[in-house]
PDB file of all heavy atoms in Angstrom:
ATOM      1  N   VAL A 405     126.496 -30.557-105.577  1.00 95.00           N
ATOM      2  CA  VAL A 405     125.049 -30.725-105.736  1.00 95.00           C
ATOM      3  C   VAL A 405     124.746 -32.183-106.055  1.00 95.00           C
ATOM      4  O   VAL A 405     125.596 -32.917-106.575  1.00 95.00           O
ATOM      5  CB  VAL A 405     124.491 -29.789-106.828  1.00 95.00           C
ATOM      6  CG1 VAL A 405     124.721 -28.344-106.445  1.00 95.00           C
ATOM      7  CG2 VAL A 405     125.094 -30.092-108.193  1.00 95.00           C
ATOM      8  N   GLY A 406     123.511 -32.587-105.756  1.00 96.00           N
ATOM      9  CA  GLY A 406     123.135 -33.984-105.949  1.00 96.00           C
ATOM     10  C   GLY A 406     123.235 -34.443-107.387  1.00 96.00           C
ATOM     11  O   GLY A 406     123.640 -35.578-107.671  1.00 96.00           O
ATOM     12  N   ALA A 407     122.880 -33.545-108.313  1.00 93.00           N
ATOM     13  CA  ALA A 407     122.906 -33.906-109.725  1.00 93.00           C
ATOM     14  C   ALA A 407     124.308 -34.178-110.229  1.00 93.00           C
ATOM     15  O   ALA A 407     124.488 -34.875-111.239  1.00 93.00           O
ATOM     16  CB  ALA A 407     122.262 -32.798-110.558  1.00 93.00           C
ATOM     17  N   GLY A 408     125.325 -33.653-109.536  1.00 91.00           N
ATOM     18  CA  GLY A 408     126.701 -33.832-109.973  1.00 91.00           C
ATOM     19  C   GLY A 408     127.374 -35.064-109.408  1.00 91.00           C
ATOM     20  O   GLY A 408     128.523 -35.359-109.769  1.00 91.00           O
ATOM     21  N   MET A 409     126.677 -35.795-108.546  1.00 93.00           N
ATOM     22  CA  MET A 409     127.270 -36.976-107.927  1.00 93.00           C
ATOM     23  C   MET A 409     127.163 -38.179-108.861  1.00 93.00           C
ATOM     24  O   MET A 409     126.342 -38.229-109.766  1.00 93.00           O
ATOM     25  CB  MET A 409     126.595 -37.255-106.585  1.00 93.00           C
ATOM     26  CG  MET A 409     126.834 -36.153-105.583  1.00 93.00           C
ATOM     27  SD  MET A 409     126.120 -36.525-103.968  1.00 93.00           S
ATOM     28  CE  MET A 409     126.723 -35.122-103.031  1.00 93.00           C
ATOM     29  N   LYS A 410     127.999 -39.163-108.602  1.00 92.00           N
ATOM     30  CA  LYS A 410     127.995 -40.382-109.409  1.00 92.00           C
ATOM     31  C   LYS A 410     127.812 -41.574-108.474  1.00 92.00           C
ATOM     32  O   LYS A 410     128.760 -41.942-107.771  1.00 92.00           O
ATOM     33  CB  LYS A 410     129.293 -40.504-110.200  1.00 92.00           C
ATOM     34  CG  LYS A 410     129.522 -39.376-111.205  1.00 92.00           C
ATOM     35  CD  LYS A 410     130.784 -39.557-111.976  1.00 92.00           C
ATOM     36  CE  LYS A 410     131.050 -38.531-113.045  1.00 92.00           C
ATOM     37  NZ  LYS A 410     130.357 -37.286-113.037  1.00 92.00           N
ATOM     38  N   PRO A 411     126.623 -42.204-108.440  1.00 95.00           N
ATOM     39  CA  PRO A 411     125.418 -41.797-109.168  1.00 95.00           C
ATOM     40  C   PRO A 411     124.784 -40.569-108.517  1.00 95.00           C
ATOM     41  O   PRO A 411     125.103 -40.246-107.366  1.00 95.00           O
ATOM     42  CB  PRO A 411     124.505 -43.014-109.031  1.00 95.00           C
ATOM     43  CG  PRO A 411     124.899 -43.613-107.721  1.00 95.00           C
ATOM     44  CD  PRO A 411     126.387 -43.401-107.612  1.00 95.00           C
ATOM     45  N   PRO A 412     123.866 -39.887-109.233  1.00 96.00           N
ATOM     46  CA  PRO A 412     123.203 -38.715-108.658  1.00 96.00           C
ATOM     47  C   PRO A 412     122.464 -39.064-107.366  1.00 96.00           C
ATOM     48  O   PRO A 412     121.984 -40.187-107.187  1.00 96.00           O
ATOM     49  CB  PRO A 412     122.225 -38.280-109.760  1.00 96.00           C
ATOM     50  CG  PRO A 412     122.805 -38.833-111.013  1.00 96.00           C
ATOM     51  CD  PRO A 412     123.441 -40.137-110.619  1.00 96.00           C
ATOM     52  N   LYS A 413     122.364 -38.069-106.479  1.00 97.00           N
ATOM     53  CA  LYS A 413     121.672 -38.236-105.200  1.00 97.00           C
ATOM     54  C   LYS A 413     120.672 -37.104-105.055  1.00 97.00           C
ATOM     55  O   LYS A 413     121.032 -35.939-105.256  1.00 97.00           O
ATOM     56  CB  LYS A 413     122.683 -38.206-104.044  1.00 97.00           C
ATOM     57  CG  LYS A 413     122.080 -38.353-102.660  1.00 97.00           C
ATOM     58  CD  LYS A 413     123.175 -38.253-101.608  1.00 97.00           C
ATOM     59  CE  LYS A 413     122.603 -38.304-100.192  1.00 97.00           C
ATOM     60  NZ  LYS A 413     121.992 -39.602 -99.874  1.00 97.00           N
ATOM     61  N   PHE A 414     119.435 -37.442-104.716  1.00 98.00           N
ATOM     62  CA  PHE A 414     118.411 -36.410-104.599  1.00 98.00           C
ATOM     63  C   PHE A 414     117.680 -36.539-103.263  1.00 98.00           C
ATOM     64  O   PHE A 414     117.737 -37.573-102.585  1.00 98.00           O
ATOM     65  CB  PHE A 414     117.432 -36.501-105.770  1.00 98.00           C
ATOM     66  CG  PHE A 414     118.082 -36.252-107.106  1.00 98.00           C
ATOM     67  CD1 PHE A 414     118.241 -37.288-108.022  1.00 98.00           C
ATOM     68  CD2 PHE A 414     118.567 -34.998-107.436  1.00 98.00           C
ATOM     69  CE1 PHE A 414     118.863 -37.072-109.241  1.00 98.00           C
ATOM     70  CE2 PHE A 414     119.192 -34.764-108.657  1.00 98.00           C
ATOM     71  CZ  PHE A 414     119.342 -35.811-109.561  1.00 98.00           C
ATOM     72  N   LEU A 415     116.989 -35.458-102.889  1.00 98.00           N
ATOM     73  CA  LEU A 415     116.302 -35.404-101.607  1.00 98.00           C
ATOM     74  C   LEU A 415     115.007 -36.200-101.628  1.00 98.00           C
ATOM     75  O   LEU A 415     114.340 -36.294-102.656  1.00 98.00           O
ATOM     76  CB  LEU A 415     116.005 -33.946-101.236  1.00 98.00           C
ATOM     77  CG  LEU A 415     117.223 -33.061-100.999  1.00 98.00           C
ATOM     78  CD1 LEU A 415     116.797 -31.599-100.879  1.00 98.00           C
ATOM     79  CD2 LEU A 415     117.984 -33.506 -99.758  1.00 98.00           C
ATOM     80  N   LYS A 416     114.644 -36.716-100.445  1.00 98.00           N
ATOM     81  CA  LYS A 416     113.391 -37.441-100.274  1.00 98.00           C
ATOM     82  C   LYS A 416     112.737 -36.991 -98.973  1.00 98.00           C
ATOM     83  O   LYS A 416     113.370 -36.325 -98.136  1.00 98.00           O
ATOM     84  CB  LYS A 416     113.640 -38.954-100.264  1.00 98.00           C
ATOM     85  CG  LYS A 416     114.548 -39.429 -99.159  1.00 98.00           C
ATOM     86  CD  LYS A 416     114.863 -40.911 -99.297  1.00 98.00           C
ATOM     87  CE  LYS A 416     115.707 -41.416 -98.124  1.00 98.00           C
ATOM     88  NZ  LYS A 416     116.982 -40.700 -97.954  1.00 98.00           N
ATOM     89  N   ILE A 417     111.481 -37.338 -98.803  1.00 97.00           N
ATOM     90  CA  ILE A 417     110.747 -36.945 -97.602  1.00 97.00           C
ATOM     91  C   ILE A 417     111.474 -37.454 -96.357  1.00 97.00           C
ATOM     92  O   ILE A 417     111.902 -38.614 -96.293  1.00 97.00           O
ATOM     93  CB  ILE A 417     109.306 -37.481 -97.659  1.00 97.00           C
ATOM     94  CG1 ILE A 417     108.533 -36.773 -98.782  1.00 97.00           C
ATOM     95  CG2 ILE A 417     108.590 -37.288 -96.326  1.00 97.00           C
ATOM     96  CD1 ILE A 417     107.179 -37.376 -99.061  1.00 97.00           C
ATOM     97  N   GLY A 418     111.619 -36.573 -95.379  1.00 98.00           N
ATOM     98  CA  GLY A 418     112.295 -36.905 -94.132  1.00 98.00           C
ATOM     99  C   GLY A 418     113.743 -36.471 -94.077  1.00 98.00           C
ATOM    100  O   GLY A 418     114.336 -36.415 -92.985  1.00 98.00           O
ATOM    101  N   ASP A 419     114.352 -36.146 -95.221  1.00 98.00           N
ATOM    102  CA  ASP A 419     115.741 -35.684 -95.233  1.00 98.00           C
ATOM    103  C   ASP A 419     115.851 -34.307 -94.579  1.00 98.00           C
ATOM    104  O   ASP A 419     114.924 -33.492 -94.643  1.00 98.00           O
ATOM    105  CB  ASP A 419     116.268 -35.590 -96.662  1.00 98.00           C
ATOM    106  CG  ASP A 419     116.581 -36.944 -97.280  1.00 98.00           C
ATOM    107  OD1 ASP A 419     116.627 -37.945 -96.529  1.00 98.00           O
ATOM    108  OD2 ASP A 419     116.776 -37.007 -98.509  1.00 98.00           O
ATOM    109  N   THR A 420     117.000 -34.041 -93.982  1.00 98.00           N
ATOM    110  CA  THR A 420     117.281 -32.725 -93.423  1.00 98.00           C
ATOM    111  C   THR A 420     118.459 -32.109 -94.165  1.00 98.00           C
ATOM    112  O   THR A 420     119.425 -32.791 -94.521  1.00 98.00           O
ATOM    113  CB  THR A 420     117.604 -32.790 -91.924  1.00 98.00           C
ATOM    114  OG1 THR A 420     118.749 -33.627 -91.716  1.00 98.00           O
ATOM    115  CG2 THR A 420     116.428 -33.340 -91.140  1.00 98.00           C
ATOM    116  N   VAL A 421     118.363 -30.815 -94.421  1.00 98.00           N
ATOM    117  CA  VAL A 421     119.411 -30.067 -95.113  1.00 98.00           C
ATOM    118  C   VAL A 421     119.845 -28.933 -94.195  1.00 98.00           C
ATOM    119  O   VAL A 421     119.008 -28.165 -93.711  1.00 98.00           O
ATOM    120  CB  VAL A 421     118.900 -29.495 -96.455  1.00 98.00           C
ATOM    121  CG1 VAL A 421     120.021 -28.769 -97.187  1.00 98.00           C
ATOM    122  CG2 VAL A 421     118.317 -30.599 -97.332  1.00 98.00           C
ATOM    123  N   SER A 422     121.147 -28.841 -93.941  1.00 98.00           N
ATOM    124  CA  SER A 422     121.698 -27.757 -93.137  1.00 98.00           C
ATOM    125  C   SER A 422     122.792 -27.083 -93.952  1.00 98.00           C
ATOM    126  O   SER A 422     123.564 -27.755 -94.636  1.00 98.00           O
ATOM    127  CB  SER A 422     122.290 -28.281 -91.822  1.00 98.00           C
ATOM    128  OG  SER A 422     121.301 -28.957 -91.061  1.00 98.00           O
ATOM    129  N   LEU A 423     122.853 -25.755 -93.876  1.00 98.00           N
ATOM    130  CA  LEU A 423     123.804 -25.019 -94.701  1.00 98.00           C
ATOM    131  C   LEU A 423     124.154 -23.694 -94.054  1.00 98.00           C
ATOM    132  O   LEU A 423     123.420 -23.201 -93.190  1.00 98.00           O
ATOM    133  CB  LEU A 423     123.234 -24.786 -96.103  1.00 98.00           C
ATOM    134  CG  LEU A 423     121.899 -24.035 -96.209  1.00 98.00           C
ATOM    135  CD1 LEU A 423     121.851 -23.205 -97.482  1.00 98.00           C
ATOM    136  CD2 LEU A 423     120.731 -25.033 -96.199  1.00 98.00           C
ATOM    137  N   GLY A 424     125.277 -23.121 -94.489  1.00 98.00           N
ATOM    138  CA  GLY A 424     125.661 -21.836 -93.942  1.00 98.00           C
ATOM    139  C   GLY A 424     126.821 -21.226 -94.693  1.00 98.00           C
ATOM    140  O   GLY A 424     127.491 -21.883 -95.493  1.00 98.00           O
ATOM    141  N   ILE A 425     127.038 -19.940 -94.424  1.00 98.00           N
ATOM    142  CA  ILE A 425     128.157 -19.185 -94.977  1.00 98.00           C
ATOM    143  C   ILE A 425     128.784 -18.422 -93.819  1.00 98.00           C
ATOM    144  O   ILE A 425     128.071 -17.805 -93.009  1.00 98.00           O
ATOM    145  CB  ILE A 425     127.699 -18.215 -96.081  1.00 98.00           C
ATOM    146  CG1 ILE A 425     127.034 -18.978 -97.232  1.00 98.00           C
ATOM    147  CG2 ILE A 425     128.878 -17.395 -96.592  1.00 98.00           C
ATOM    148  CD1 ILE A 425     126.485 -18.078 -98.332  1.00 98.00           C
ATOM    149  N   GLU A 426     130.113 -18.449 -93.744  1.00 97.00           N
ATOM    150  CA  GLU A 426     130.809 -17.801 -92.630  1.00 97.00           C
ATOM    151  C   GLU A 426     130.448 -16.321 -92.536  1.00 97.00           C
ATOM    152  O   GLU A 426     130.508 -15.590 -93.525  1.00 97.00           O
ATOM    153  CB  GLU A 426     132.315 -17.954 -92.804  1.00 97.00           C
ATOM    154  CG  GLU A 426     133.116 -17.436 -91.618  1.00 97.00           C
ATOM    155  CD  GLU A 426     134.597 -17.740 -91.746  1.00 97.00           C
ATOM    156  OE1 GLU A 426     134.947 -18.939 -91.680  1.00 97.00           O
ATOM    157  OE2 GLU A 426     135.383 -16.798 -91.931  1.00 97.00           O
ATOM    158  N   GLY A 427     130.015 -15.912 -91.354  1.00 97.00           N
ATOM    159  CA  GLY A 427     129.650 -14.531 -91.111  1.00 97.00           C
ATOM    160  C   GLY A 427     128.216 -14.177 -91.442  1.00 97.00           C
ATOM    161  O   GLY A 427     127.736 -13.113 -91.057  1.00 97.00           O
ATOM    162  N   LEU A 428     127.534 -15.075 -92.170  1.00 98.00           N
ATOM    163  CA  LEU A 428     126.153 -14.804 -92.586  1.00 98.00           C
ATOM    164  C   LEU A 428     125.140 -15.708 -91.892  1.00 98.00           C
ATOM    165  O   LEU A 428     123.936 -15.542 -92.104  1.00 98.00           O
ATOM    166  CB  LEU A 428     126.011 -14.960 -94.104  1.00 98.00           C
ATOM    167  CG  LEU A 428     126.956 -14.119 -94.968  1.00 98.00           C
ATOM    168  CD1 LEU A 428     126.638 -14.332 -96.441  1.00 98.00           C
ATOM    169  CD2 LEU A 428     126.859 -12.640 -94.615  1.00 98.00           C
ATOM    170  N   GLY A 429     125.610 -16.656 -91.072  1.00 98.00           N
ATOM    171  CA  GLY A 429     124.704 -17.519 -90.345  1.00 98.00           C
ATOM    172  C   GLY A 429     124.410 -18.821 -91.061  1.00 98.00           C
ATOM    173  O   GLY A 429     125.003 -19.142 -92.098  1.00 98.00           O
ATOM    174  N   SER A 430     123.480 -19.588 -90.486  1.00 98.00           N
ATOM    175  CA  SER A 430     123.151 -20.901 -91.026  1.00 98.00           C
ATOM    176  C   SER A 430     121.644 -21.120 -90.980  1.00 98.00           C
ATOM    177  O   SER A 430     120.912 -20.394 -90.307  1.00 98.00           O
ATOM    178  CB  SER A 430     123.867 -22.004 -90.242  1.00 98.00           C
ATOM    179  OG  SER A 430     123.477 -21.988 -88.872  1.00 98.00           O
ATOM    180  N   GLN A 431     121.210 -22.115 -91.714  1.00 98.00           N
ATOM    181  CA  GLN A 431     119.793 -22.466 -91.772  1.00 98.00           C
ATOM    182  C   GLN A 431     119.642 -23.971 -91.883  1.00 98.00           C
ATOM    183  O   GLN A 431     120.604 -24.688 -92.184  1.00 98.00           O
ATOM    184  CB  GLN A 431     119.109 -21.759 -92.943  1.00 98.00           C
ATOM    185  CG  GLN A 431     119.792 -21.937 -94.282  1.00 98.00           C
ATOM    186  CD  GLN A 431     119.094 -21.246 -95.443  1.00 98.00           C
ATOM    187  OE1 GLN A 431     118.608 -21.909 -96.344  1.00 98.00           O
ATOM    188  NE2 GLN A 431     119.058 -19.907 -95.440  1.00 98.00           N
ATOM    189  N   SER A 432     118.422 -24.473 -91.631  1.00 98.00           N
ATOM    190  CA  SER A 432     118.177 -25.908 -91.693  1.00 98.00           C
ATOM    191  C   SER A 432     116.737 -26.162 -92.103  1.00 98.00           C
ATOM    192  O   SER A 432     115.828 -25.455 -91.641  1.00 98.00           O
ATOM    193  CB  SER A 432     118.452 -26.563 -90.336  1.00 98.00           C
ATOM    194  OG  SER A 432     118.268 -27.962 -90.390  1.00 98.00           O
ATOM    195  N   GLN A 433     116.546 -27.153 -92.984  1.00 98.00           N
ATOM    196  CA  GLN A 433     115.202 -27.502 -93.437  1.00 98.00           C
ATOM    197  C   GLN A 433     114.993 -29.017 -93.400  1.00 98.00           C
ATOM    198  O   GLN A 433     115.954 -29.791 -93.487  1.00 98.00           O
ATOM    199  CB  GLN A 433     114.960 -27.017 -94.874  1.00 98.00           C
ATOM    200  CG  GLN A 433     115.148 -25.536 -95.106  1.00 98.00           C
ATOM    201  CD  GLN A 433     116.499 -25.188 -95.675  1.00 98.00           C
ATOM    202  OE1 GLN A 433     117.098 -25.964 -96.415  1.00 98.00           O
ATOM    203  NE2 GLN A 433     117.009 -23.999 -95.356  1.00 98.00           N
ATOM    204  N   THR A 434     113.734 -29.405 -93.313  1.00 98.00           N
ATOM    205  CA  THR A 434     113.344 -30.812 -93.434  1.00 98.00           C
ATOM    206  C   THR A 434     112.407 -30.957 -94.620  1.00 98.00           C
ATOM    207  O   THR A 434     111.533 -30.115 -94.826  1.00 98.00           O
ATOM    208  CB  THR A 434     112.641 -31.298 -92.152  1.00 98.00           C
ATOM    209  OG1 THR A 434     113.534 -31.154 -91.038  1.00 98.00           O
ATOM    210  CG2 THR A 434     112.237 -32.763 -92.274  1.00 98.00           C
ATOM    211  N   VAL A 435     112.615 -32.018 -95.396  1.00 97.00           N
ATOM    212  CA  VAL A 435     111.752 -32.279 -96.545  1.00 97.00           C
ATOM    213  C   VAL A 435     110.468 -32.926 -96.050  1.00 97.00           C
ATOM    214  O   VAL A 435     110.499 -33.948 -95.363  1.00 97.00           O
ATOM    215  CB  VAL A 435     112.448 -33.193 -97.573  1.00 97.00           C
ATOM    216  CG1 VAL A 435     111.563 -33.399 -98.800  1.00 97.00           C
ATOM    217  CG2 VAL A 435     113.800 -32.618 -97.982  1.00 97.00           C
ATOM    218  N   VAL A 436     109.317 -32.321 -96.402  1.00 96.00           N
ATOM    219  CA  VAL A 436     108.023 -32.833 -95.957  1.00 96.00           C
ATOM    220  C   VAL A 436     107.101 -32.993 -97.161  1.00 96.00           C
ATOM    221  O   VAL A 436     107.261 -32.336 -98.185  1.00 96.00           O
ATOM    222  CB  VAL A 436     107.365 -31.902 -94.915  1.00 96.00           C
ATOM    223  CG1 VAL A 436     108.264 -31.707 -93.707  1.00 96.00           C
ATOM    224  CG2 VAL A 436     107.011 -30.552 -95.530  1.00 96.00           C
ATOM    225  N   ALA A 437     106.133 -33.889 -97.013  1.00 94.00           N
ATOM    226  CA  ALA A 437     105.150 -34.080 -98.074  1.00 94.00           C
ATOM    227  C   ALA A 437     104.324 -32.814 -98.241  1.00 94.00           C
ATOM    228  O   ALA A 437     103.959 -32.156 -97.261  1.00 94.00           O
ATOM    229  CB  ALA A 437     104.241 -35.258 -97.754  1.00 94.00           C
ATOM    230  N   LEU A 438     104.034 -32.463 -99.475  1.00 90.00           N
ATOM    231  CA  LEU A 438     103.287 -31.241 -99.752  1.00 90.00           C
ATOM    232  C   LEU A 438     101.919 -31.242 -99.065  1.00 90.00           C
ATOM    233  O   LEU A 438     101.525 -30.266 -98.445  1.00 90.00           O
ATOM    234  CB  LEU A 438     103.103 -31.083-101.266  1.00 90.00           C
ATOM    235  CG  LEU A 438     102.226 -29.932-101.742  1.00 90.00           C
ATOM    236  CD1 LEU A 438     102.836 -28.595-101.324  1.00 90.00           C
ATOM    237  CD2 LEU A 438     102.053 -29.986-103.266  1.00 90.00           C
ATOM    238  N   GLU A 439     101.205 -32.331 -99.149  1.00 80.00           N
ATOM    239  CA  GLU A 439      99.848 -32.394 -98.598  1.00 80.00           C
ATOM    240  C   GLU A 439      99.890 -32.259 -97.078  1.00 80.00           C
ATOM    241  O   GLU A 439     100.593 -32.998 -96.375  1.00 80.00           O
ATOM    242  CB  GLU A 439      99.179 -33.705 -98.979  1.00 80.00           C
ATOM    243  CG  GLU A 439      97.724 -33.783 -98.549  1.00 80.00           C
ATOM    244  CD  GLU A 439      97.035 -35.071 -99.022  1.00 80.00           C
ATOM    245  OE1 GLU A 439      97.669 -35.830 -99.773  1.00 80.00           O
ATOM    246  OE2 GLU A 439      95.872 -35.292 -98.643  1.00 80.00           O
ATOM    247  N   GLY A 440      99.159 -31.295 -96.556  1.00 61.00           N
ATOM    248  CA  GLY A 440      99.039 -31.119 -95.114  1.00 61.00           C
ATOM    249  C   GLY A 440     100.222 -30.431 -94.468  1.00 61.00           C
ATOM    250  O   GLY A 440     100.282 -30.310 -93.252  1.00 61.00           O
TER     251      GLY A 440
END
C-alpha cells in the first residue's frame, strides 16, 4: 500500500489503478476530480 512505502506514495488525479485476484477477475479505475 502507498502508506507503507518509503517515502509514502499516494494517488492523484489522472492515475490509473488496475488490480485482480486469480480466478476472480480484474478491475481498473482512473482517479478523477470530484466536481463534474
